[in-house]
């Protein structure tokens, strides 16, 4: 895949309809199987959460996903990464994660994320070096750190 045409742009209120459609297509199955609501208001609440960090993922000028990352002094929080189903399995999510991992390694700041147990994205996170540090009934909290790779 030609990732040179991959861009991020700040999300605006004009993107809400795209983000609602994206969230419905990428998350309904996982939310429903975990017993979470999938109504429009629930989706909009999650879309608006940390909206100031929201970036629209674009490929060849077409909106294909959402990335929310919050950079703190001591941690990077991956809040949301969603790729439209038409573009899944083509390496876009992996490429974006690898860019964030590179930032983490350079700055020596760990990345944290939460993923539903029913979401197959957890397999990608594990392949890229994230480890599960906590879990509850519905989700895993995962962490990426340069120390994940230290061999004892």
């Amino acid at each position: 895949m030609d990732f040179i045409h991959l861009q991020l742009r700040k999300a605006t209120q004009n993107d809400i309809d795209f983000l609602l459609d994206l969230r419905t297509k990428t998350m309904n199955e996982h939310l429903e199987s975990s017993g979470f609501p999938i109504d429009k208001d629930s989706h909009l609440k999650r879309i608006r959460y940390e909206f100031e960090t929201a970036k629209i993922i674009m490929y060849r000028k077409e909106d294909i996903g959402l990335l929310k990352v919050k950079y703190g002094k001591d941690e990077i929080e991956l809040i949301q990464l969603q790729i439209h189903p038409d573009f899944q399995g083509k390496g876009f999510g992996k490429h974006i994660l690898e860019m964030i991992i590179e930032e983490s390694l350079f700055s020596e700041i760990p990345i944290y994320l939460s993923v539903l147990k029913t979401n197959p994205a957890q397999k990608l996170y594990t392949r890229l070096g994230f480890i599960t540090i906590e879990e509850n009934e519905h989700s895993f909290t995962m962490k990426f750190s340069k120390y994940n790779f230290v061999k004892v």
Side-chain angles (χ1 to χ4, degrees):
M1 190 56 65
D2 182 14
F3 296 117
I4 195 164
H5 296 286
L6 195 63
Q7 296 178 315
L8 299 175
R9 68 168 173 81
K10 186 162 180 49
T12 69
Q13 292 301 313
N14 293 335
D15 295 308
I16 297 294
D17 287 343
F18 166 73
L19 293 172
L20 185 59
D21 180 63
L22 178 69
R23 183 158 177 84
T24 300
K25 288 178 177 164
T26 60
M27 294 301 296
N28 269 8
E29 174 186 346
H30 312 301
L31 292 167
E32 201 167 33
S33 65
S34 296
F36 290 107
I38 58 169
D39 60 282
K40 183 178 179 180
D41 287 340
S42 296
H43 284 316
L44 287 172
K45 183 177 179 183
R46 184 66 178 157
I47 289 167
R48 290 190 178 107
Y49 175 74
E50 297 284 356
F51 192 75
E52 66 279 2
T53 67
K55 302 269 195 283
I56 301 298
I57 303 166
M58 299 172 63
Y59 181 69
R60 297 187 182 269
K61 301 188 180 183
E62 183 177 353
D63 296 345
I64 68 162
L66 167 69
L67 175 66
K68 286 186 189 176
V69 179
K70 187 174 182 178
Y71 293 90
K73 189 178 86 150
D74 299 322
E75 71 179 41
I76 299 170
E77 180 186 3
L78 177 58
I79 299 169
Q80 284 176 280
L81 174 57
Q82 296 169 330
I83 304 294
H84 190 282
D86 292 347
F87 293 88
Q88 289 177 3
K90 299 178 183 338
F92 292 109
K94 180 180 181 214
H95 181 73
I96 288 168
L97 284 166
E98 287 171 340
M99 291 185 333
I100 299 167
I101 287 169
E102 194 172 303
E103 292 175 40
S104 168
L105 291 170
F106 179 77
S107 64
E108 298 187 2
I109 298 173
I111 306 166
Y112 293 88
L113 63 83
S114 178
V115 61
L116 290 172
K117 289 180 174 181
T118 58
N119 190 333
Q122 66 174 288
K123 293 180 184 107
L124 173 61
Y125 301 139
T126 300
R127 279 198 317 269
L128 291 176
F130 284 81
I131 58 171
T132 299
I133 58 170
E134 287 181 24
E135 71 177 277
N136 62 33
E137 180 183 353
H138 301 290
S139 62
F140 296 113
T141 299
M142 301 183 85
K143 176 183 180 182
F144 177 91
S145 167
K146 71 175 189 168
Y147 301 108
N148 293 8
F149 298 105
V150 174
K151 297 202 187 239
V152 179

